[in-house]
Amino acid sequence: MEKSRLALALILLGGFLVTSDATTATPSLNFTSEGGWGPTTPPGRVTHKVIEKEEDEDDVSATELGCPPLGLESLKVDDTQIQASSFQRFGLGPHRGRLNIQSGIEDGDLYDGAWCADYKDRHQWLEVDALHLTRFTAVILQGRNTIWRQDWVETYKVQLSNDSISWKSCMNGTQEAIFEGNKDPESPVLGVLPVPVVARYIRINPQSWFHEGDICLRAEILGCRVDEPHSAKDTEPKDALDFRHHNYKEMRKLMKTVSEECPDITRIYTIGKSYMGLKLYVMEISDNPGKHELGEPEFRYVAGMHGNEVLGRELVLNLMQYICREYKKGNQRIVRLVTETRIHLLPSMNPDGYEVAYKKGSELAGWGEGRYTFEGIDLNHNFPDLNNIMWDAQEEADDPSKVPNHYIPIPEYYTKEDALVAPETRAVISWMQDIPFVLSANLHGGELVVTYPYDGTRGWAPKENTPTTDNAFFRWLSTVYASTNLAMANPERRICHYEDFQAYNNIINGGAWHTVPGSMNDFSYMHTNCFEVTVELSCDKFPHASELPTEWENNKESLIIYMEQVHRGIKGVVRDKETKKGIVDAVIKVEDHGHDIRSAADGDYWRLLNPGEYKVVVWAEGYFPSMRHCHVGMEPRATVCDFSLTQTPVQRLKEIRAKGGKIPQDLQLRLRALRLRKLRASTKAINRRREGQRMQREQGRKARSPGRL
Ligand SMILES: [Zn+2]
């Protein structure tokens, strides 16, 4: 932690200056009494205060709380380190008293949403053993997570101990400190110790609680280890990357720096703007940035569609720094990846939401703040639901195999100006259309699992296993990420919240977990050629900055090896036998795989497949179909299967008649293109209107304060 930032953490509380790293160094306390269980004289009341950010925030990081969390939320603190005076049942035991822990829908199982004391009196406590002498600086409290009850703690005391036998109350001057807790079950509330105290054990001791509820809480403790090993060798991460949380301006600056460091292989571009006008920046990495090369597959990572799930954003920023440096160093694996792949990295799909979470900081953002866009839209439900359109059509058809299984057009309602489609979603749909992406991952947080399509379920059932016809390959893709991720693959790890994904090797069909109608994964697979999975990167949606080097190590290999999977299966170019020109929109059909893909503008195509022997048929409007047997090996190197198609006599005649006029495409393609044009037209109209409103506001503001510069 940088000392300069600590200045921000100095908070004046009721006349007490809360000290930070720079000023305290008391190694231990002399305990003189049993601790403050007796009746109290008028208590010294400590009010919580939300730390405000400074006006000029250009170079100021998120809210700093002095010391990092011990890790009740991140699970760094083990279950055995948490004890309690009593608990109602195992599912509400002390190990559940962790900030932001989530419970299942039903109460009463092993995984309820808080620690709940068995008695309602003032002698209840939750105890945390920090294992080392620790300078405790603050407590963060939250109520119980359940939709059926209302439980939270309104005021509490804090006790400290070196041996867990004799306890001393946290004092506010000469009086026992009383901390203000929660007013609702969800919002985390910070209680700063009037003076930091060095000890090994800490207790939270509720004094009053919501009158209709029980004594239930979730907590985090902030503290700095006193005997922290300061040898730089032990703590310095292997890759010296910019490990911190980057707000919008800092993100832009970092991307610019990377681009300046590696001008030959990078290009920054934008795909649109958020509702509040923040640009959606993409970093392109390729040996020929700015253009599609014939036969070279395109890959993308999308992070931050839920603005408060921030780890993906930082990992993607780390990844661009890492690739740039390793490429320059001549790391053969990275050089090969960059030379043979066109990589696109979108670190923040929902920058408006991110800024909301960032302002609260890693411990106080809670579970939901910043998830949605400024308009309140959940972007992962905002793509058109093409699943049910296809499933309904299959049900009604005499021969379901004749129903189109790919390139499903956007429905008409979705293209309207008043459709509830976020500008962020519109931007990403256009982007997906412009670039012939082959493979992608959508980075989220709050769990440790990789999910693969479909996310949608038939008739929007809450849960249903809905595998695609490419299920085996999607499971391979998910396994590649999950089995190389050090956090997921750790057999010792405990479950994040209430679901045990280790039982499924940390991968699961999206619909089998919970339905997500209108997800980006499903849209990508059904509307374009691109295969996409969702990676839930960590139990904690907003890890503390000090966790970022570890999280990079956890994900580094996974992020790289996943990109390399874009080189699996078969690829090639579909050409006109006579003219040798590439044929766009040719259909590539693999026998026994009920999901076709199409060739890109130059006739090149990529078909992701597991190792095996395949019968591949290619056809295009006006051509005779062509068939080939293609072999896919074990190594990640696509087998080249080119096709030359012969025009049908009817087509020749047509072309002669049209004398170079437009060749009519099949109906579905025309409809797909038409709908996309309509969506883009409505996006333009919305942008024009919003720009007008913005300018009006701007003029109004200027008119009101004419003297201001
Ligand atoms: Zn998410």
Side-chain angles (χ1 to χ4, degrees):
M1 184 174 305
E2 289 169 39
K3 289 267 193 276
S4 61
R5 292 228 180 80
L6 281 167
L8 265 183
L10 294 174
I11 317 149
L12 212 56
L13 277 169
F16 289 89
L17 189 66
V18 176
T19 48
S20 68
D21 262 20
T23 48
T24 40
T26 324
S28 67
L29 277 182
N30 285 325
F31 292 150
T32 50
S33 74
E34 301 265 323
W37 299 116
T40 50
T41 45
R45 222 171 160 84
V46 178
T47 52
H48 75 273
K49 183 175 170 183
V50 177
I51 302 166
E52 302 287 349
K53 281 186 78 181
E54 303 222 338
E55 277 297 305
D56 177 23
E57 51 189 25
D58 277 17
D59 294 312
V60 178
S61 171
T63 306
E64 281 285 357
L65 301 172
C67 282
L70 292 190
L72 274 81
E73 181 180 15
S74 71
L75 305 181
K76 231 160 100 181
V77 170
D78 196 62
D79 287 352
T80 58
Q81 288 171 253
I82 316 174
Q83 314 279 331
S85 51
S86 68
F87 52 94
Q88 291 178 8
R89 58 172 183 273
F90 182 77
L92 293 165
H95 64 291
R96 301 296 295 170
R98 300 170 180 274
L99 184 70
N100 285 327
I101 205 159
Q102 303 294 301
S103 62
I105 289 181
E106 301 296 334
D107 283 347
D109 59 12
L110 293 179
Y111 308 108
D112 274 350
W115 161 63
C116 289
D118 201 19
Y119 308 101
K120 279 162 82 164
D121 60 37
R122 292 182 173 184
H123 303 290
Q124 304 305 313
W125 45 259
L126 182 80
E127 177 183 318
V128 179
D129 177 1
L131 299 180
H132 306 275
L133 277 187
T134 300
R135 189 171 60 258
F136 293 109
T137 56
V139 170
I140 294 167
L141 220 63
Q142 197 178 29
R144 176 177 173 184
N145 175 266
T146 167
I147 50 175
W148 307 109
R149 293 181 55 91
Q150 301 263 298
D151 305 289
W152 64 81
V153 167
E154 287 174 342
T155 60
Y156 63 98
K157 293 180 187 174
V158 171
Q159 286 98 30
L160 300 126
S161 170
N162 281 345
D163 57 7
S164 84
I165 298 167
S166 69
W167 290 87
K168 188 167 171 64
S169 284
C170 176
M171 304 298 284
N172 192 1
T174 55
Q175 296 168 333
E176 270 191 302
I178 304 279
F179 295 83
E180 274 187 23
N182 301 108
K183 293 188 171 70
D184 65 65
E186 266 312 305
S187 318
V189 172
L190 174 71
V192 177
L193 273 54
V195 176
V197 180
V198 174
R200 174 172 160 176
Y201 301 87
I202 186 166
R203 275 182 182 175
I204 298 166
N205 170 216
Q207 294 298 299
S208 62
W209 41 92
F210 176 58
H211 62 282
E212 285 170 24
D214 292 338
I215 299 179
C216 298
L217 63 86
R218 291 176 284 169
E220 183 59 89
I221 310 284
L222 305 188
C224 298
R225 197 174 146 177
V226 173
D227 60 342
E228 195 125 36
H230 279 296
S231 143
K233 270 182 206 147
D234 295 346
T235 51
E236 214 163 85
K238 277 181 240 155
D239 301 311
L241 307 175
D242 191 10
F243 293 118
R244 63 196 167 102
H245 291 291
H246 297 78
N247 68 10
Y248 179 69
K249 285 180 182 168
E250 290 163 339
M251 175 183 81
R252 198 170 53 185
K253 207 155 116 189
L254 184 140
M255 290 174 78
K256 205 163 156 257
T257 308
V258 170
S259 187
E260 283 163 2
E261 265 177 48
C262 289
D264 297 341
I265 57 161
T266 60
R267 177 178 74 108
I268 300 172
Y269 64 96
T270 63
I271 58 167
K273 281 181 182 177
S274 72
Y275 184 84
M276 293 300 281
L278 300 183
K279 287 181 182 159
L280 306 178
Y281 288 108
V282 176
M283 174 68 82
E284 177 192 337
I285 305 179
S286 152
D287 59 342
N288 276 302
K291 54 174 175 277
H292 174 75
E293 290 175 82
L294 187 75
E296 193 169 292
E298 311 245 2
F299 178 93
R300 69 168 185 259
Y301 274 129
V302 175
M305 84 180 327
H306 292 146
N308 60 336
E309 295 165 18
V310 306
L311 183 55
R313 172 188 182 115
E314 295 308 323
L315 290 176
V316 163
L317 292 175
N318 290 157
L319 183 65
M320 54 182 83
Q321 294 171 75
Y322 179 80
I323 294 178
C324 164
R325 281 182 204 176
E326 294 300 307
Y327 183 87
K328 286 210 295 197
K329 269 197 235 162
N331 176 333
Q332 279 311 296
R333 186 180 182 192
I334 298 300
V335 169
R336 188 176 147 185
L337 186 68
V338 171
T339 314
E340 297 180 353
T341 324
R342 193 172 172 215
I343 302 163
H344 305 257
L345 307 173
L346 170 61
S348 184
M349 181 177 166
N350 176 8
D352 296 348
Y354 177 84
E355 293 298 305
V356 171
Y358 178 86
K359 281 187 178 120
K360 291 269 172 136
S362 65
E363 311 325 311
L364 297 177
W367 193 249
E369 269 195 90
R371 175 187 180 90
Y372 305 99
T373 65
F374 187 84
E375 297 170 281
I377 295 173
D378 186 328
L379 293 177
N380 211 24
H381 294 271
N382 200 226
F383 289 79
D385 175 2
L386 306 181
N387 306 43
N388 280 293
I389 292 175
M390 186 183 77
W391 288 328
D392 288 351
Q394 282 174 349
E395 243 166 56
E396 281 163 29
D398 296 331
D399 181 358
S401 70
K402 292 280 191 295
V403 173
N405 60 22
H406 71 291
Y407 266 42
I408 316 274
I410 295 167
E412 174 83 38
Y413 77 85
Y414 195 87
T415 65
K416 299 275 195 295
E417 259 188 65
D418 58 359
L420 195 65
V421 183
E424 295 86 352
T425 312
R426 291 167 179 272
V428 167
I429 291 178
S430 257
W431 184 42
M432 287 173 160
Q433 183 80 27
D434 286 341
I435 295 172
F437 289 114
V438 179
L439 180 63
S440 163
N442 174 10
L443 306 179
H444 287 244
E447 254 301 346
L448 272 174
V449 68
V450 182
T451 77
Y452 50 88
Y454 294 115
D455 290 326
T457 54
R458 283 180 181 78
W460 307 284
K463 243 183 202 194
E464 185 199 2
N465 188 33
T466 48
T468 66
T469 171
D470 283 299
N471 199 42
F473 194 77
F474 273 118
R475 287 178 60 84
W476 163 261
L477 283 174
S478 309
T479 300
V480 163
Y481 201 101
S483 62
T484 53
N485 178 287
L486 302 185
M488 289 186 207
N490 174 11
E492 305 290 300
R493 83 169 177 94
R494 52 154 287 171
I495 64 169
C496 288
H497 300 286
Y498 56 92
E499 271 167 304
D500 184 6
F501 291 115
Q502 276 173 296
Y504 313 100
N505 292 319
N506 304 301
I507 69 169
I508 191 169
N509 167 268
W513 181 15
H514 57 224
T515 181
V516 185
S519 86
M520 187 159 73
N521 289 184
D522 286 2
F523 179 80
S524 179
Y525 182 68
M526 304 187 79
H527 188 74
T528 77
N529 291 325
C530 185
F531 285 36
E532 184 175 87
V533 304
T534 287
V535 185
E536 299 282 351
L537 291 160
S538 61
C539 304
D540 183 350
K541 286 183 177 179
F542 199 146
H544 188 264
S546 59
E547 300 286 328
L548 295 175
T550 308
E551 290 298 356
W552 166 250
E553 285 301 321
N554 287 345
N555 286 281
K556 175 175 149 183
E557 174 62 21
S558 327
L559 287 166
I560 295 165
I561 198 171
Y562 185 80
M563 287 193 280
E564 290 170 341
Q565 304 314 307
V566 77
H567 297 287
R568 287 204 176 269
I570 58 171
K571 69 171 189 179
V573 184
V574 183
R575 289 191 173 90
D576 182 303
K577 201 169 190 172
E578 290 289 309
T579 65
K580 308 291 180 216
K581 271 191 184 159
I583 301 170
V584 65
D585 284 323
V587 175
I588 291 87
K589 191 183 270 301
V590 177
E591 196 180 56
D592 298 329
H593 280 62
H595 178 84
D596 306 336
I597 55 131
R598 297 217 179 210
S599 59
D602 302 328
D604 42 357
Y605 79 91
W606 303 262
R607 203 333 170 170
L608 297 172
L609 289 166
N610 276 327
E613 305 293 332
Y614 297 97
K615 188 175 147 189
V616 183
V617 177
V618 171
W619 64 269
E621 184 76 16
Y623 290 88
F624 287 115
S626 169
M627 193 271 282
R628 277 191 67 175
H629 287 277
C630 305
H631 165 86
V632 177
M634 301 295 281
E635 61 291 336
R637 181 158 288 274
T639 302
V640 175
C641 272
D642 292 331
F643 288 85
S644 290
L645 303 190
T646 309
Q647 277 199 347
T648 58
V650 177
Q651 182 63 22
R652 282 217 190 106
L653 203 66
K654 255 190 201 167
E655 279 190 18
I656 293 162
R657 277 191 189 142
K659 284 179 185 163
K662 226 177 168 186
I663 302 164
Q665 298 278 7
D666 72 73
L667 192 67
Q668 193 199 347
L669 263 186
R670 284 216 307 266
L671 187 63
R672 183 172 175 276
L674 176 78
R675 293 278 167 78
L676 189 82
R677 271 205 302 280
K678 280 185 162 184
L679 181 80
R680 280 176 174 165
S682 69
T683 306
K684 251 189 205 159
I686 291 168
N687 287 348
R688 262 202 308 275
R689 202 168 54 226
R690 198 169 294 142
E691 196 52 39
Q693 287 164 349
R694 203 175 287 148
M695 276 165 69
Q696 265 180 4
R697 277 201 303 274
E698 190 65 13
Q699 280 164 0
R701 199 178 58 78
K702 277 184 188 151
R704 281 195 297 280
S705 55
R708 256 179 83 186
L709 287 173

